Amino acid sequence: MASTIFIQTPFQSKSLNKSLNTHFVPSFKLPVSLSFKPRTAAFSKRVHIRAGLIEPDGGKLVDLHVSKPERELNKREAASLPKVKLTPIDVQWVHVLSEGWASPLTGFMRESEFLQTLHFNSLRLDDGSFVNMSVPIVLAIDDLQKASIGESNRVALLDSDDKLIAILTDIEIYKHPKEERIARTWGTTAPGLPYVEETITNAGNWLIGGDLEVIAPIKYNDGLDRFRLSPVELRKEFERRNADAVFAFQLRNPVHNGHALLMTDTRRRLLEMGYKNPILLLHPLGGYTKADDVPLSWRMKQHEKVLEDGVLDPETTVVSIFPSPMHYAGPTEVQWHAKARINAGANFYIVGRDPAGMGHPVEKRDLYDADHGKKVLSMAPGLERLNILPFRVAAYDNTQGKMAFFDPSRAQDFLFISGTKMRTLAKNKENPPAGFMCPGGWEVLVEYYASLTPSDNDRIPQPVAA
């Protein structure tokens, strides 16, 4: 089974000058010569054609798993340590941290890292350089847990079944400023933010940070673990395929032919630039998502059909699951999505309309400006090495009977099929226009909506596993 890769850019300088230099990839109309010498100086500053994968943040990937001989020692020690029970989302963050997605972070954030993340969207390293870090990766505890920890410097972290997941060492406990965290991460404290209601509102009033010693790789035993490739495994796969560029596409929705057009066109453009074997990392988000998103198991089933039907080429596509939970924090969160892919080896990142956004939870409008995500990515501190590839707008072209790039000179020929319209068609078991989505992928979507059963309160349908 194929799996995806995604390449990012280096960190920004310590200060931003007034010109606010961006790192959008320039127009691809003029290809780079095969000698790999850019045609203009401006071009050479932004797009670097070179062999080998991009370096991870901090120069090396973090691996927080203990060695096999140490596992039994840690398990015996954990029996006498204070214990903190993790939520499923906490376990997802342990997964993220343990594999190096947040490199060079070595555990749940201490207060200095938390404050830098909230106020600067970046972390300063010992050598004075910066890496991007835009969302807090923290662990909340309540007053009773804080009291039980006392003066201990090590804490055992257990899952909901009391299984030892990790030991947190050299700990620091500090206040959990919930309102400030919410306001700075989401830009609003409006009620109804999904991640906030799930993880912050009722969380403890303290945060505990420290270095993680993870007992064993996190597994979910849901039939999808084979898709959960770590940054190390992705880099090995890219090298096996002799990739000289990796372009990442994150999504939390089914793939339609407009998405596929963007991805295949991106590869064409990279070949025109002079790359020999650019590889697509199709990287669906696999952590927490809100209740009305299509569940991961169904999305993966749909993505497999897209490859089986030849919409995307399995030889040049790596499909892998990104284990991070979803914040729906728009321009703030999209920086995290990009930064994590640098650590996986990606140097190009495809960004579309309103990345990581959602509708306002109270008002009838989008929570974020649709263009701010890509603009912020182009200026974000610590992402200078990442080449940003903004979406071109794709819509259904009635004259061609397929998805095509929108031509404003003949706007009347195009049909925009919104996510709401797509869901309505699937729920009603109606077909979209031919060429909107591959037949196998559409059948999966129809099957998913047919599987929904009303919840006890008749408000949120509950999905049946794929």
Side-chain angles (χ1 to χ4, degrees):
M1 171 53 60
S3 65
T4 321
I5 186 166
F6 151 55
I7 304 174
Q8 306 185 10
T9 60
F11 1 98
Q12 268 191 356
S13 58
K14 296 181 184 178
S15 60
L16 297 172
N17 74 27
K18 294 181 181 179
S19 67
L20 286 178
N21 291 330
T22 62
H23 45 284
F24 283 122
V25 173
S27 170
F28 290 105
K29 291 181 180 178
L30 295 176
V32 175
S33 64
L34 293 181
S35 64
F36 298 158
K37 293 181 179 178
R39 293 176 181 267
T40 66
F43 189 90
S44 66
K45 288 179 181 177
R46 292 188 174 101
V47 180
H48 305 284
I49 298 179
R50 60 174 188 163
L53 299 177
I54 193 171
E55 282 193 354
D57 279 348
K60 67 177 184 178
L61 283 173
V62 166
D63 181 357
L64 304 182
H65 300 100
V66 299
S67 65
K68 288 184 178 180
E70 292 176 301
R71 287 181 188 175
E72 290 306 315
L73 291 174
N74 281 36
K75 288 178 180 178
R76 286 197 292 271
E77 179 194 7
S80 61
L81 291 176
K83 295 170 178 58
V84 170
K85 188 161 285 192
L86 303 177
T87 68
I89 292 177
D90 293 333
V91 174
Q92 290 170 10
W93 282 122
V94 172
H95 184 176
V96 166
L97 290 163
S98 68
E99 292 185 341
W101 294 101
S103 292
L105 206 58
T106 58
F108 286 108
M109 290 178 175
R110 298 181 176 91
E111 188 173 36
S112 63
E113 296 160 331
F114 174 70
L115 291 176
Q116 288 180 74
T117 298
L118 277 191
H119 292 270
F120 311 133
N121 283 2
S122 60
L123 298 175
R124 185 194 292 270
L125 304 185
D126 291 342
D127 64 1
S129 63
F130 290 90
V131 296
N132 190 273
M133 181 54 69
S134 62
V135 297
I137 302 179
V138 292
L139 179 61
I141 58 173
D142 60 25
D143 292 348
L144 288 176
Q145 290 171 315
K146 179 177 182 291
S148 72
I149 292 168
E151 299 301 316
S152 178
N153 197 37
R154 291 168 69 83
V155 173
L157 304 182
L158 312 179
D159 68 9
S160 58
D161 296 323
D162 291 328
K163 175 185 175 183
L164 179 65
I165 297 297
I167 292 177
L168 195 64
T169 73
D170 296 325
I171 65 171
E172 177 185 342
I173 298 175
Y174 55 101
K175 288 184 178 179
H176 186 183
K178 295 182 185 180
E179 183 178 17
E180 182 182 5
R181 177 185 173 189
I182 295 165
R184 288 192 172 274
T185 303
W186 282 269
T188 181
T189 56
L193 297 168
Y195 188 90
V196 170
E197 293 194 341
E198 188 74 24
T199 67
I200 300 177
T201 302
N202 297 316
N205 293 322
W206 304 92
L207 297 174
I208 180 170
D211 298 326
L212 278 170
E213 297 175 359
V214 181
I215 303 304
I218 303 295
K219 300 295 180 185
Y220 299 83
N221 301 314
D222 57 358
L224 299 176
D225 285 331
R226 63 195 171 99
F227 290 105
R228 293 185 174 95
L229 302 185
S230 69
V232 168
E233 291 169 328
L234 284 170
R235 286 173 172 268
K236 287 180 179 177
E237 179 64 20
F238 298 142
E239 290 172 354
R240 186 188 71 80
R241 298 189 186 210
N242 296 315
D244 58 355
V246 176
F247 59 107
F249 186 83
Q250 169 169 301
L251 69 169
R252 64 175 198 273
N253 294 304
V255 174
H256 58 63
N257 288 354
H259 296 137
L261 176 64
L262 290 164
M263 291 181 268
T264 55
D265 186 66
T266 296
R267 188 170 197 275
R268 177 191 62 78
R269 293 155 71 194
L270 292 173
L271 289 168
E272 286 183 357
M273 287 169 56
Y275 289 100
K276 297 295 186 182
N277 189 31
I279 297 295
L280 165 65
L281 174 61
L282 184 63
H283 216 194
L285 185 134
Y288 161 80
T289 55
K290 54 190 175 71
D292 60 350
D293 281 355
V294 177
L296 176 65
S297 60
W298 287 95
R299 285 185 278 132
M300 293 304 295
K301 188 175 179 181
Q302 195 266 352
H303 298 345
E304 287 187 90
K305 290 295 183 183
V306 168
L307 289 170
E308 287 176 13
D309 288 2
V311 177
L312 295 173
D313 184 357
E315 294 301 314
T316 59
T317 304
V318 175
V319 180
S320 182
I321 294 171
F322 178 43
S324 176
M326 187 75 192
H327 282 66
Y328 305 91
T332 297
E333 184 175 16
V334 75
Q335 296 173 65
W336 157 242
H337 293 166
K339 174 250 173 32
R341 273 48 177 252
I342 288 175
N343 287 329
N347 53 349
F348 289 88
Y349 188 73
I350 302 174
V351 60
R353 178 190 179 279
D354 196 20
M358 59 172 279
H360 194 284
V362 177
E363 303 171 17
K364 291 186 177 181
R365 62 177 176 86
D366 287 341
L367 184 54
Y368 306 105
D369 184 290
D371 292 327
H372 281 182
K374 64 184 178 184
K375 290 178 179 178
V376 166
L377 271 188
S378 74
M379 301 179 289
L383 295 181
E384 292 81 0
R385 294 178 296 157
L386 183 64
N387 300 295
I388 306 303
L389 299 168
F391 269 19
R392 295 173 64 188
V393 178
Y396 188 80
D397 187 343
N398 287 304
T399 65
Q400 300 185 58
K402 65 178 184 178
M403 298 296 286
F405 291 121
F406 178 67
D407 181 354
S409 68
R410 52 185 188 91
Q412 69 282 358
D413 294 334
F414 287 86
L415 173 66
F416 286 89
I417 301 174
S418 67
T420 300
K421 176 66 173 175
M422 182 179 71
R423 287 190 291 272
T424 300
L425 289 171
K427 287 175 184 177
N428 294 335
K429 299 184 180 181
E430 300 175 24
N431 289 324
F436 171 73
M437 185 183 290
C438 67
W442 184 255
E443 287 174 8
V444 171
L445 203 55
V446 170
E447 184 184 353
Y448 161 65
Y449 283 107
S451 78
L452 294 178
T453 59
S455 66
D456 291 339
N457 60 16
D458 256 351
R459 285 190 300 152
I460 300 175
Q462 300 301 307
V464 176

